[in-house]
């Protein structure tokens, strides 16, 4: 069991800077997920930790050891790949034991370790089969086994479930979580699937353009996104973002939509009294108000609440347990998630009110949360 | 989106009838058959000529099957046909070709496969530049480099020797073989290589234990390419092998084109067939793999 | 592991570098080095051994005033153009016919391609025999009653090069067919479905949609055939030895004869340098195009 520390990492391919000035601490036994769109550098970072890519500057520590210049095999890591990467001509047993054989372990020890891992993953029956004769789920289990058998402190997962179909993916996800609880190893897991990230992680690092945008618990990432990118990237359907301006009236901060000018003259905007600011707001500041679809309350009639808008529904998408209504607020696209028993027709107008304690406000220029 | 009304029951139903003797089929099969006959005729002529006696050949129908089959020409071509001064037949050339073929094939494939592997998985600064140079080399007319190579081989003490011709075949086989292996290894998932490195395997172990066992087909393709290529070579053989090691193609040319006196067409054709036999056998046995070999590297993108 | 050393930049990846030594040596010494050597010595008056007595363009002047060289160049042009045109047309047509989901496709393909497995020496000798003016195909036709029928290709000063074209086509068209067939098979099958739904006749689809899509295949095939044409040597040697007279001489044979037969190294090197320049003139625009295409694709 070991922690992973990445200090001031720099990596560039030719003139392109891929990772810059990157710091990351992964605690012992933690399950950390690197989440981001393709090309954000998350797999690259994982390959750097594994030693499969040489870094240009910075340091990598695994446990107490500085492994910056160490070979992959000497870093105390095991790795699981998206395409499973099983050696096609070796049977499962040989696949599991290849690393141990390279390291020169005795036959008895190898046999014992393989049996142990096969038991944990319940693949004892498959030991004599070739990878080609296995299903996708079985292959990935073997690939996990290959990492397990090496008895290392840190497991690296590179989108391990992306090649599986939806149902298997959910099953294996739960199995992985159980495995982590049982073994308690440090795990670093790369994915572009936010569901996987939210369900598996102790902490998530959301990445974009080689920079970690936010490192937080799944809850923190989802409810208090640090910037507009994280807010937009995590959550499905994504967060509603309404452009507007901040101003102050009678010591009360208010938000006014840009397209509100046409509305009632009396209309002053939404009160932000209950919004927990994290940075000092400024009068006239251009901002975006973010509200998750499930944090909007729909009512048939106009309420007295100041924080409500007219919501024009044009499409209803039943998702099973709940329903997503697509429509617009003051001409801007808007969606709301309500429970499945909420009955209404398309092309109706409803009142949408927000719970501002759960909203987010971002500065338009910097994209940062305020 | 409306259901079909049941009154349509009279119309066509079930599988559409196909005509076997359509105009299209007649044209397609007709043209192909005529072309195929044209392509087969030379082989047929070679065979029947080699089985006839000289008097029968002089009667003048090269398409006619032999009235009296004789294997005399074959025996003579193999054993006692004259190549310039000596009259020992093609057998000398045959064994020379075998002696050239075996080491050349193995050495060239061994080197090129490791090259292709290094180029796919262990790129280093400049590796792509050297590879491009090597590929361009495949297009350089050999005539430009043959003489300096004579000098180089003479310096190495390998000119006009078996070692020399083996080295030459290894060098000239390298561009296409390296390309073949590089393209093949490039299709092997990079993750497999990464997994092996995490498992602690190094350059040679990954090549020998992981890639080699899964690349047998491409090695067979390379083998076919080299066997036919080296066996059929005339040009390098005549320059670098030296008189004592002349390959079969050179001996064949000497038998057919330099003999004085009566032209023994039947012996010539038997000798020609004997020389073409090995590549033909390889071709007919290997089938699709041969096709893959020649299309390798050629059709990409 | 705290002690893991900074890997030396040169020693890193050492095995790969060692493994690449033969490739690097071949590229630098043989392909680049030897070519440069030949070009340099083509400006000398070397006879049987290379000597550094530079004579400027003398060898080239002699080369282009030599009948034999001019004839060789003409011949390789005739041979090249005929080979390119016919092998591309015939090869493509055969590929299209084979692509009609026919039965016996493998048999036909095997038949068209087998000559490619044979050496030029063998090919040349078979066709020398087939085209034999007295006893070859001509005599069969004569026996059928056309008493004055003659195939004089091999004994004619004007047409002997065409005999070599015939043999060359027989040997190489199968290759073109296979490359074209691979190209046709590489075309997205949905194109065919779309054109069927749109009611476009098959020949139009081939001509206006498929052929333009196969441009890279055509270019590659062209380059492969062309590089073979420049090198043609064994075939001529087997069929005509350049004769009658000098009527079927080719540049490759000129080079060989002057270097090894007539001990006139400078002249041979000059001829080979001209060959090299011709190839480079074709090759450089092509590799530039390929390179540009790849860049576009990667963007």
């Amino acid at each position: 069991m070991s922690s992973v520390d990445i200090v001031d990492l720099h990596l560039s391919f030719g003139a392109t800077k891929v990772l810059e000035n990157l710091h990351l601490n992964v605690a012992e036994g933690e399950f950390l997920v690197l989440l981001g769109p393709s090309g954000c550098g998350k797999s690259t970072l994982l390959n750097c930790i594994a030693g499969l890519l040489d870094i240009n500057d910075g340091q990598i520590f695994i446990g107490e050891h500085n492994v910056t210049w160490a070979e992959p095999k000497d870093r105390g890591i095991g790795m699981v790949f998206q395409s499973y990467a099983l050696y096609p001509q070796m049977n499962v047993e040989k696949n599991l034991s290849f690393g141990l054989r390279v390291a020169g372990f005795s036959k008895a020890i190898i046999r014992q370790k393989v049996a142990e891992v096969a038991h944990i993953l319940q693949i004892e029956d498959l030991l004599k089969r070739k990878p080609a004769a296995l299903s996708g789920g079985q292959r990935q289990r073997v690939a996990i086994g290959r990492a397990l058998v090496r008895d290392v402190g840190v497991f690296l997962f590179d989108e391990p479930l992306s090649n599986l179909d939806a149902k298997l993916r959910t099953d294996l996800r739960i199995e992985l979580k159980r495995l982590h609880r049982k073994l308690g190893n440090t795990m670093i897991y790369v994915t572009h699937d936010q569901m996987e990230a939210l369900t598996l992680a102790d902490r998530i690092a959301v990445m974009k353009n080689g920079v970690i945008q936010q490192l937080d618990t799944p809850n923190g990432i989802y409810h208090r996104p640090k910037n507009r990118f994280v807010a937009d990237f995590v959550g499905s359907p994504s967060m509603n973002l309404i452009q507007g301006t901040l101003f102050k009236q009678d010591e009360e901060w208010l938000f006014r939509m840009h397209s509100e000018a046409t509305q009632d003259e009396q209309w002053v905007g939404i009160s932000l009294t209950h919004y927990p600011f994290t940075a000092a707001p400024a009068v006239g500041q251009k901002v975006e108000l973010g509200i998750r679809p499930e944090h909007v309350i729909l009512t048939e009639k106009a309420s007295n609440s100041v924080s409500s808008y007219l919501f024009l529904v044009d499409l209803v998408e039943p998702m099973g347990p709940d329903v997503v209504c697509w429509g617009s607020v003051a001409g801007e696209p808007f969606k709301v998630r309500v429970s499945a028993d909420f009955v209404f027709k398309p092309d109706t107008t409803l009142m949408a009110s927000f719970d501002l304690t759960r909203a987010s406000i971002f500065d338009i220029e910097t994209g940062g949360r305020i | 989106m409306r259901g079909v009304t049941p009154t349509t029951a009279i119309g066509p139903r079930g599988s559409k009838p196909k005509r076997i003797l359509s105009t299209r089929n007649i044209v397609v099969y007709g043209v192909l058959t005529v072309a195929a006959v044209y392509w087969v005729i030379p082989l047929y002529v070679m065979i029947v000529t080699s089985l006839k006696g000289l008097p029968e050949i002089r009667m003048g129908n090269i398409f006619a099957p032999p009235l009296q089959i004789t294997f005399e020409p074959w025996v003579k071509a193999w054993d006692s046909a004259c190549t310039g001064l000596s009259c020992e037949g093609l057998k000398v050339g045959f064994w020379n070709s075998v002696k050239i073929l075996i080491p050349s094939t193995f050495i060239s494939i061994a080197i090129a496969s490791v090259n292709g592997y290094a180029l796919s998985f262990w790129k280093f600064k400049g590796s792509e530049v050297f590879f491009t140079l090597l590929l361009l080399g495949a297009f350089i007319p050999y005539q430009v480099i043959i003489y300096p190579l004579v000098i180089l081989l003479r310096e190495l003490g390998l000119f006009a020797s078996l070692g020399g011709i083996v080295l030459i075949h290894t060098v000239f086989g390298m561009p296409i073989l390296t390309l073949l292996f590089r393209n093949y290894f490039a299709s092997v998932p990079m993750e497999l290589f990464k997994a092996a490195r995490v498992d602690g395997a190094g350059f040679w172990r990954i090549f020998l234990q992981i890639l080699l066992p899964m690349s047998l087909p491409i090695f067979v393709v390379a083998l076919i390419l080299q066997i036919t290529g080296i066996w059929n070579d005339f040009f390098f053989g005549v320059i670098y092998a030296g008189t004592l090691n002349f390959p079969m193609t050179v001996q064949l040319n000497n038998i057919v084109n330099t003999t004085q006196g009566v032209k023994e067409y039947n012996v010539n054709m038997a000798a020609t067939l004997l020389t073409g036999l090995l590549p033909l056998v390889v071709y007919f046995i290997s089938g699709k793999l041969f096709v893959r070999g020649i299309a390798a590297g050629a059709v990409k993108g | 592991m705290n002690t893991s050393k900074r890997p030396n930049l040169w020693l890193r990846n050492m095995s790969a570098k060692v493994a690449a030594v033969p490739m690097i040596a071949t590229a630098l010494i043989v392909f680049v080095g030897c070519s440069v050597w030949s070009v340099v010595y083509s400006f000398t008056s070397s006879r049987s051994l290379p000597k550094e007595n530079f004579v400027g363009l003398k060898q080239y002047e002699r080369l282009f005033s030599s009948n034999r060289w001019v004839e060789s160049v003409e011949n390789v042009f005739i041979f090249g153009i005929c080979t390119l045109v016919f092998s591309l047309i015939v090869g493509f047509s055969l590929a299209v016919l084979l692509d009609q989901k026919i039965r016996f496709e493998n048999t036909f393909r095997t038949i068209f391609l087998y000559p490619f497995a044979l050496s030029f020496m063998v090919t040349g000798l078979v066709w020398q025999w087939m085209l034999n003016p007295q006893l070859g195909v001509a005599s069969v036709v004569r026996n059928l009653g056309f008493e004055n029928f003659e195939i004089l290709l091999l004994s004619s000063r004007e047409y002997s090069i065409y005999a070599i074209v015939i043999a060359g086509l027989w040997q190489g068209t199968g290759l073109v067919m296979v490359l074209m067939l691979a190209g046709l098979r590489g075309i997205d099958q949905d194109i065919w479905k779309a054109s069927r739904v749109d009611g476009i006749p098959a020949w139009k689809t081939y001509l206006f949609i498929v052929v333009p899509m196969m441009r890279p295949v055509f270019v590659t095939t062209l380059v492969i055939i062309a590089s073979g044409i420049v090198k043609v040597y064994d075939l001529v040697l087997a069929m005509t030895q350049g004769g009658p007279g000098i009527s079927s001489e080719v540049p490759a044979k000129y080079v060989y004869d002057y270097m090894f037969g007539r001990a006139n190294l400078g002249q041979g090197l000059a001829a080979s340098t001209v060959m090299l320049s011709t190839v480079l003139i074709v090759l450089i625009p092509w590799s530039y195009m390929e390179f540009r295409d790849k860049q576009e694709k990667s963007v």
Side-chain angles (χ1 to χ4, degrees), chain A residues 63-233:
Chain A
E64 286 111 59
H65 303 296
N66 181 343
V67 297
T68 312
W69 296 331
E71 278 294 301
K73 66 176 159 77
D74 302 326
R75 292 187 177 210
I77 50 142
M79 193 162 177
V80 179
F81 299 90
Q82 177 177 2
S83 66
Y84 324 129
L86 299 179
Y87 311 125
Q89 75 283 0
M90 299 183 192
N91 65 23
V92 171
E93 190 178 7
K94 291 265 157 55
N95 257 291
L96 292 175
S97 61
F98 183 68
L100 301 175
R101 279 181 286 144
V102 172
F105 280 90
S106 79
K107 279 201 174 129
I109 293 180
I110 291 176
R111 207 175 307 125
Q112 183 212 333
K113 285 193 172 189
V114 168
E116 224 170 82
V117 167
H119 178 72
I120 294 176
L121 292 169
Q122 296 167 337
I123 49 174
E124 288 120 317
D125 304 342
L126 310 176
L127 285 178
K128 295 294 169 202
R129 287 210 217 154
K130 290 265 176 80
L134 301 178
S135 71
Q138 291 170 329
R139 280 181 214 184
Q140 199 51 289
R141 233 174 265 235
V142 176
I144 294 169
R146 193 171 55 184
L148 242 55
V149 86
R150 299 188 61 237
D151 221 355
V152 288
V154 181
F155 289 142
L156 308 176
F157 295 90
D158 194 353
E159 308 224 11
L161 306 182
S162 299
N163 277 9
L164 301 169
D165 64 51
K167 175 149 182 358
L168 258 177
R169 197 150 56 204
T170 323
D171 294 349
L172 260 168
R173 197 171 76 200
I174 292 165
E175 235 174 283
L176 260 178
K177 198 159 184 169
R178 269 200 198 108
L179 196 68
H180 178 238
R181 272 184 57 186
K182 188 160 154 191
L183 301 173
N185 289 48
T186 311
M187 294 189 175
I188 304 179
Y189 185 108
V190 163
T191 183
H192 63 265
D193 182 332
Q194 42 171 308
M195 229 25 222
E196 269 170 36
L198 293 170
T199 50
L200 283 171
D202 291 331
R203 282 193 304 162
I204 300 174
V206 181
M207 289 184 72
K208 181 198 172 195
N209 297 339
V211 177
I212 294 178
Q213 305 287 321
Q214 183 171 3
L215 176 60
D216 207 338
T217 60
N219 229 322
I221 296 273
Y222 191 78
H223 293 290
R224 287 176 305 280
K226 222 168 137 189
N227 59 36
R228 194 185 176 283
F229 171 79
V230 177
D232 192 44
F233 185 75

Side-chain angles (χ1 to χ4, degrees), chain A residues 54 64-66 69-70 74, chain C residues 1-2 4-7 12:
Chain A
D54 282 329
E64 286 111 59
H65 303 296
N66 181 343
W69 296 331
D74 302 326
Chain C
M1 262 177 287
N2 275 326
S4 67
K5 280 181 304 213
R6 166 109 228 176
R12 258 174 50 205

Side-chain angles (χ1 to χ4, degrees), chain A residues 200-350:
Chain A
L200 283 171
D202 291 331
R203 282 193 304 162
I204 300 174
V206 181
M207 289 184 72
K208 181 198 172 195
N209 297 339
V211 177
I212 294 178
Q213 305 287 321
Q214 183 171 3
L215 176 60
D216 207 338
T217 60
N219 229 322
I221 296 273
Y222 191 78
H223 293 290
R224 287 176 305 280
K226 222 168 137 189
N227 59 36
R228 194 185 176 283
F229 171 79
V230 177
D232 192 44
F233 185 75
V234 180
S236 168
S238 60
M239 186 183 267
N240 294 300
L241 288 163
I242 309 165
Q243 296 198 350
T245 314
L246 292 183
F247 60 100
K248 214 171 179 184
Q249 200 174 50
D250 305 335
E251 292 302 304
E252 188 185 21
W253 283 100
L254 296 164
F255 169 85
R256 187 164 193 169
M257 263 174 97
H258 279 162
S259 45
E260 264 172 350
T262 53
Q263 288 189 4
D264 188 353
E265 282 296 309
Q266 300 290 305
W267 181 246
V268 282
I270 304 178
S271 163
L272 298 176
T273 313
H274 297 294
Y275 178 75
F277 280 106
T278 52
V283 174
Q285 191 174 7
K286 301 260 186 293
V287 295
E288 273 179 300
L289 175 69
I291 185 92
R292 295 225 174 259
E294 64 270 30
H295 297 153
V296 178
I297 302 140
L298 288 184
T299 44
E300 303 252 350
K301 274 196 210 128
S303 68
N304 291 330
S305 160
V306 279
S307 55
S308 60
Y309 286 109
L310 282 180
F311 174 51
L312 186 69
V313 185
D314 66 7
L315 197 76
V316 175
E317 213 181 24
M319 311 277 282
D322 44 26
V323 170
V324 177
C325 321
W326 299 79
S328 57
V329 160
E332 302 290 320
F334 200 83
K335 57 259 175 193
V336 180
R337 189 178 208 142
V338 287
S339 92
D341 41 9
F342 191 88
V343 188
F344 60 93
K345 293 186 222 80
D347 296 321
T348 50
T349 308
L350 297 162

